[in-house]
Amino acid sequence: MPAPESKEPKVDNKDEKMTDADTVQKPKSPEEIAALVLNDIKQNFGFLDKAAGNFEPRFSMRVLRGLGNLRRRLTPDILVSTVDAAYPSPSHKSAALILKYLGKEGSTMEIDESSSDSSTPVVLPEIDIYVLVLLQVYLLDQGDLVKLNSFNDEAITILRGYNRRTLDALAAKMWFYYAYGKELNKQVVELRPLLLAVLRTSTLRHDTETRAMLTTLLLRNYLHTQAISQAHQLVLKADFPEAAATSVVARYLYYVGRIKAIQLDYSAANESLIGAIRKAPQTSYAAGFLQAAHKLKVIIELLMGDIPERSWFREPMYEKALSPYMDLVKAVRIGEVPQFSDTIEKYGAVFKKDGTYMLILRLRQNVIKTGIRMMSLSYSKISLRDICIRLHLDSEESAEYIVAKAIRDGVIEATIDHEKGFMQSKEILDIYSTQEPNMAFHERIKFCISLHNESVKAMRYPMNQHRVELKNVEEAREREKELASEIQEGDMEDDDGDFDGL
Amino acid sequence: MPQKSFETRARELASAFAAKDYERCSHLLPQLKVTLSQLNILVPLLSSDLELLAVARDILEIGALTAIFLRDDLLFSRYIAQLSPFYAMKDKIHPPSSNEKKLIALRLLLLLSKNDIAEFHTELETLEDEADKDVYIRYPVMLERWLMEGSYDKVWKATTQRSEVPAEEFAIFADILVDTIRSEIATCSEKAYPSLPLMNAKHLLFFTEDADLLEFIDQRGWSTKDGRIYFPQESTDPLESGLPMENIIENTLGYARELETIV
């Protein structure tokens, strides 16, 4: 099961240029830093306001992207001041909840005696949920799992009370941390009925973000407990909304790739993984996810019979993580079974932690096939006994059977002469006279076309822009009309003045 | 009281199974399952009575084993499906089942004999490490590995020699597996050998009687001459088999259509 580094793949710091520039300079005192963070949070409130008002999901996304940066700078004091800023009075349900979990019940607040429920201004739900998410993240970072769990339960109850489309992206985030908290507390199986119920509700409400996130969470849940057939059924039956945020789509594709790999559908798994790697952000924030995805991709390529490129293993981001896999690739390429078994022994624990151990065991036959292939290419004629010795097989009989199967599978082109006990390779055909080039071209053309189509679909235009244009056009027309009428009037007046200039 | 007759019937079932009277077992089982569902332990929930769950599980296991002996695949699969929630809760039910590993191994073997390799691997994933440690489960795992590699002689030895088979139930699958191996070897031989003397063919295909061999040859449609078998050759000349016109035309039209959409 991939380790938890895959949780925050979507942080793009380019938007928060102001915060970066501020904190990079001279070291500041804690109060100043706290004030800066508080400013950021208040700015985010402004964004959320706009998002709710104009129904533009862009602002919520922007706020969420800043979450990764913020969480590193959160302290209990900042959170208390946030609660102060967000909620009109600490007796508000969420405010009380947060303060309770921060352990600062009723401390720094001036309790507004005169306020009653009917006169308190209503807190924007987006801001409410955003602050709750901030606390979730804070508790998670503190490593306080039990507190996180109970807080999550109550926070989710608050979330489910709302039913607003603009809340979509934030709700998805909250569900993510909820499920993650439960997973860390080993309450995985109990989570399933709840997730399924919420998936149903969000599908009915056309909540794309929540749907996508929940589907992904369910898949992760099933894979965690090795319930592969159930995961497969979910993939078949539940439509995944392609319009969701790319990070969620990337995660979804990764899980789908894993399921397909287990079910021996290697080419489909490969496609999914390529999609996942492409959609994930290529920055170092997504390192965990990209590493896990690359590991799986290496294994699948080996299982399909291709050798993955060496250039990947050299990249600094992947070098350490992928080094056991590099040894594995070497063993498979050479085609010697004892070396392969040794590599598995040596790195067994690492592979089991990555969840790729069972897949790697399947590679054994690939090793043998590669060995036979090399024999057949290098020797035009070789006795079965020699094959048996070189490939470290058990007996000549097995060697004969194995070679026969390899020929049947199309790995090599050869014939066996049973009486004289040798294998003879056939001559290599001129490959251009077969269908091979045609098919290779077809694959590549298909890929390019699908890439083009996907890019076209992914282009986003800011909403209402065309209306602005229309408005501009209208205004321009009106101005022209005015001008025209002015000229007309002006003409009549100027007529007399013209003769003066003579 | 349904409780009392339930216990006596359960005991009856156990004794009938021990005496290998499978017909009687299959008689008693449906009634017992009805009683189980009345007592709400047919499907284990967190709210069910834990002691009775152990009894229920044992009954279902006996049912599964009976199905094997009666060679009823569907019935066996159904029992296994009913048993899987019990195994999922295995840390809560005491005492742990001694038959669990055996039944899981039997299920794997069934999938293998039907050549359902995808399901096989899916089930295997849930087992993780135990494959190497448990003698029952090791059996189908090794078989699958050898089949994939192509060392059919090892498979042959494992299925036919009594010393290798871990329990008598596995021997029942031996026939199906031998058939599978034979057809695999036959297909491989067709491609690999230009021709083969009959003696060697008999040896390769693990036949003991000439008559069996000749019957098999007729079945596969090979021709014999002078004591050698000749396999039908495929024409490898690409021009002779003709260009796949339809395919090329279809592809090219597809490209044209897509290109048109590029503005």
Side-chain angles (χ1 to χ4, degrees):
Chain A
M1 206 46 206
E5 313 109 19
S6 53
K7 33 188 173 99
E8 281 288 316
K10 56 169 187 177
V11 178
D12 186 2
N13 261 339
K14 298 204 195 95
D15 280 349
E16 310 295 318
K17 272 189 223 135
M18 301 176 281
T19 51
D20 264 5
D22 280 341
T23 51
V24 151
Q25 275 132 17
K26 47 194 190 328
K28 296 181 182 268
S29 63
E31 293 90 28
E32 284 182 329
I33 299 182
L36 277 169
V37 177
L38 204 53
N39 262 343
D40 292 336
I41 299 184
K42 291 211 177 114
Q43 209 173 26
N44 286 342
F45 287 169
F47 284 138
L48 288 172
D49 226 343
K50 262 201 266 183
N54 301 348
F55 281 102
E56 292 215 20
R58 278 188 306 141
F59 292 113
S60 328
M61 299 298 240
R62 204 162 159 198
V63 167
L64 284 174
R65 263 181 270 156
L67 189 66
N69 197 2
L70 267 181
R71 74 195 272 188
R72 270 165 264 185
R73 305 186 281 162
L74 285 178
T75 70
D77 289 323
I78 295 184
L79 282 170
V80 169
S81 345
T82 318
V83 171
D84 218 356
Y87 300 107
S89 95
S91 58
H92 188 270
K93 203 169 51 169
S94 316
L97 183 66
I98 297 177
L99 287 174
K100 188 171 89 177
Y101 277 91
L102 280 175
K104 291 189 192 264
E105 272 178 287
S107 55
T108 58
M109 325 291 289
E110 293 128 32
I111 302 191
D112 209 336
E113 298 285 353
S114 55
S115 68
S116 61
D117 269 349
S118 54
S119 65
T120 45
V122 172
V123 174
L124 204 59
E126 281 78 18
I127 297 186
D128 193 4
I129 300 294
Y130 178 63
V131 179
L132 288 173
V133 171
L134 277 177
L135 193 67
Q136 268 183 321
V137 164
Y138 175 69
L139 284 175
L140 182 65
D141 284 336
Q142 295 294 310
D144 203 344
L145 296 176
V146 178
K147 252 198 195 171
L148 176 67
N149 225 3
S150 40
F151 174 72
N152 273 343
D153 285 328
E154 303 193 35
I156 286 292
T157 341
I158 296 182
L159 176 65
R160 293 179 86 178
Y162 291 123
N163 179 7
R164 290 169 57 126
R165 295 292 72 67
T166 45
L167 211 42
D168 220 356
L170 292 161
K173 257 299 172 220
M174 183 169 259
W175 277 113
F176 174 76
Y177 285 114
Y178 177 70
Y180 190 51
K182 289 268 185 238
E183 191 180 310
L184 288 174
N185 273 316
K186 314 231 186 296
Q187 289 175 335
V188 177
V189 186
E190 293 89 0
L191 194 54
R192 273 187 218 158
L194 179 62
L195 284 181
L196 284 167
V198 181
L199 182 61
R200 279 201 293 275
T201 333
S202 60
T203 318
L204 281 173
R205 293 185 192 162
H206 291 285
D207 250 348
T208 13
E209 284 296 327
T210 327
R211 248 176 86 197
M213 178 64 83
L214 282 170
T215 319
T216 317
L217 286 173
L218 271 169
L219 280 180
R220 185 185 166 92
N221 195 316
Y222 287 133
L223 282 174
H224 192 85
T225 51
Q226 311 287 2
I228 313 267
S229 29
Q230 281 174 291
H232 182 61
Q233 291 295 329
L234 184 68
V235 170
L236 284 180
K237 301 286 159 80
D239 277 326
F240 185 79
E242 293 289 333
T246 45
S247 61
V248 184
V249 178
R251 265 179 255 170
Y252 177 74
L253 285 173
Y254 172 78
Y255 291 130
V256 168
R258 272 193 80 154
I259 298 175
K260 294 235 152 79
I262 294 177
Q263 296 184 319
L264 293 166
D265 195 354
Y266 299 130
S267 19
N270 202 17
E271 273 178 40
S272 296
L273 276 178
I274 293 181
I277 292 180
R278 261 193 5 230
K279 297 216 169 176
Q282 301 294 326
T283 62
S284 59
Y285 288 107
F289 177 74
L290 282 173
Q291 279 170 0
H294 272 290
K295 283 179 197 168
L296 197 55
K297 185 155 190 300
V298 166
I299 303 289
I300 293 185
E301 284 204 358
L302 285 175
L303 281 167
M304 286 204 303
D306 300 325
I307 308 282
E309 288 176 36
R310 190 179 278 228
S311 53
W312 287 351
F313 292 97
R314 298 258 182 77
E315 274 187 54
M317 198 160 48
Y318 305 132
E319 220 173 332
K320 233 174 35 175
L322 289 182
S323 74
Y325 292 86
M326 173 104 155
D327 286 341
L328 192 66
V329 172
K330 276 194 213 141
V332 173
R333 222 176 50 140
I334 298 178
E336 286 199 4
V337 179
Q339 190 173 349
F340 177 72
S341 316
D342 282 338
T343 319
I344 293 190
E345 285 274 330
K346 199 164 129 200
Y347 294 112
V350 176
F351 292 147
K352 278 187 202 159
K353 195 168 76 93
D354 287 336
T356 46
Y357 188 64
M358 302 303 293
L359 290 171
I360 290 177
L361 284 180
R362 290 188 216 165
L363 278 174
R364 202 156 174 280
Q365 66 186 94
N366 284 65
V367 178
I368 299 183
K369 280 199 195 142
T370 320
I372 296 184
R373 197 173 304 78
M374 284 200 307
M375 292 276 136
S376 137
L377 287 176
S378 23
Y379 294 89
S380 57
K381 214 178 184 181
I382 179 172
S383 73
L384 290 171
R385 167 165 306 236
D386 278 335
I387 296 183
C388 171
I389 296 176
R390 275 170 213 271
L391 291 182
H392 306 275
L393 296 172
D394 290 329
S395 72
E396 216 178 291
E397 273 195 6
S398 334
E400 187 167 352
Y401 284 125
I402 293 179
V403 171
K405 183 162 200 288
I407 297 177
R408 201 268 300 261
D409 288 338
V411 172
I412 55 181
E413 296 271 334
T415 52
I416 308 180
D417 190 334
H418 182 89
E419 289 130 41
K420 304 206 186 90
F422 63 81
M423 170 181 94
Q424 177 158 22
S425 311
K426 280 199 213 147
E427 303 202 345
I428 304 189
L429 284 174
D430 177 18
I431 202 163
Y432 278 95
S433 64
T434 65
Q435 287 297 310
E436 288 292 318
N438 191 13
M439 291 203 289
F441 276 130
H442 180 63
E443 285 299 311
R444 292 177 200 194
I445 296 178
K446 234 177 24 176
F447 180 74
C448 291
I449 289 182
S450 70
L451 184 61
H452 173 261
N453 286 341
E454 270 185 37
S455 318
V456 170
K457 276 191 233 166
M459 287 208 281
R460 281 187 229 179
Y461 300 96
M463 263 173 66
N464 298 337
Q465 197 68 11
H466 65 282
R467 277 199 221 140
V468 172
E469 265 181 42
L470 276 180
K471 226 168 54 162
N472 286 342
V473 170
E474 286 272 343
E475 279 174 356
R477 240 183 279 148
E478 287 216 21
R479 258 182 276 134
E480 273 188 38
K481 257 196 268 169
E482 275 181 31
L483 260 172
S485 56
E486 264 179 26
I487 292 177
Q488 244 181 343
E489 287 166 22
D491 270 337
M492 297 201 284
E493 279 176 14
D494 274 351
D495 259 348
D496 303 319
D498 262 346
F499 294 119
D500 288 338
L502 268 178
Chain B
M1 275 197 314
Q3 188 80 4
K4 195 161 176 211
S5 62
F6 169 62
E7 277 173 15
T8 41
R9 265 187 282 155
R11 249 173 284 146
E12 242 186 274
L13 178 69
S15 52
F17 182 71
K20 300 203 192 275
D21 186 359
Y22 302 119
E23 289 298 331
R24 183 142 173 67
C25 286
S26 57
H27 254 311
L28 291 168
L29 277 164
Q31 286 175 332
L32 274 171
K33 283 212 278 187
V34 170
T35 335
L36 282 180
S37 58
Q38 279 169 353
L39 292 172
N40 266 335
I41 49 177
L42 191 59
V43 179
L45 304 165
L46 287 168
S47 51
S48 330
D49 188 349
L50 290 176
E51 278 180 16
L52 289 178
L53 278 183
V55 178
R57 188 195 57 209
D58 289 334
I59 294 180
L60 287 174
E61 282 179 357
I62 295 183
L65 289 169
T66 320
I68 289 276
F69 281 117
L70 293 173
R71 297 181 187 241
D72 192 341
D73 293 343
L74 285 175
L75 194 60
F76 176 69
S77 305
R78 235 180 294 146
Y79 273 111
I80 293 285
Q82 279 172 332
L83 272 170
S84 49
F86 282 91
Y87 291 145
M89 281 178 59
K90 72 173 150 199
D91 28 344
K92 303 209 176 82
I93 307 182
H94 294 287
S97 155
S98 58
N99 283 328
E100 179 185 337
K101 296 277 183 287
K102 189 153 60 146
L103 283 172
I104 296 179
L106 281 170
R107 165 141 172 88
L108 287 175
L109 203 53
L110 181 66
L111 289 171
L112 192 60
S113 60
K114 290 212 193 114
N115 224 9
D116 198 350
I117 308 289
E119 257 320 296
F120 182 90
H121 278 287
T122 315
E123 292 270 343
L124 201 55
E125 281 284 330
T126 60
L127 293 175
E128 284 274 352
D129 226 354
E130 301 161 38
D132 291 330
K133 297 186 195 133
D134 184 69
V135 65
Y136 289 128
I137 298 188
R138 206 183 325 171
Y139 186 70
V141 171
M142 298 305 285
L143 277 184
E144 195 263 341
R145 205 179 284 181
W146 289 328
L147 267 180
M148 282 290 128
E149 275 173 16
S151 0
Y152 297 117
D153 56 331
K154 291 203 193 107
V155 181
W156 171 258
K157 252 187 273 166
T159 47
T160 47
Q161 286 174 6
R162 290 283 135 157
S163 55
E164 302 278 332
V165 177
E168 44 177 303
E169 289 92 349
F170 292 90
I172 299 180
F173 285 101
D175 297 332
I176 313 178
L177 281 170
V178 168
D179 278 334
T180 321
I181 309 174
R182 280 213 186 106
S183 64
E184 289 281 311
I185 300 179
T187 331
C188 294
S189 317
E190 276 171 20
K191 294 266 173 63
Y193 301 97
S195 75
L196 204 57
L198 275 172
M199 281 291 105
N200 299 58
K202 200 166 89 169
H203 179 68
L204 278 180
L205 289 166
F206 306 118
F207 281 119
T208 45
E209 301 285 328
D210 278 345
D212 289 336
L213 176 64
L214 291 170
E215 202 186 306
F216 191 75
I217 293 177
D218 279 332
Q219 239 180 7
R220 303 291 300 205
W222 301 337
S223 55
T224 56
K225 204 164 78 166
D226 300 336
R228 296 183 76 92
I229 310 180
Y230 290 93
F231 304 107
Q233 295 285 342
E234 287 176 19
S235 80
T236 47
D237 190 5
L239 288 178
E240 208 181 272
S241 48
L243 291 173
M245 300 274 219
E246 287 184 13
N247 210 7
I248 298 181
I249 294 178
E250 211 183 295
N251 284 347
T252 324
L253 283 178
Y255 303 153
R257 211 181 322 131
E258 295 288 334
L259 284 173
E260 284 294 312
T261 63
I262 300 179
V263 177

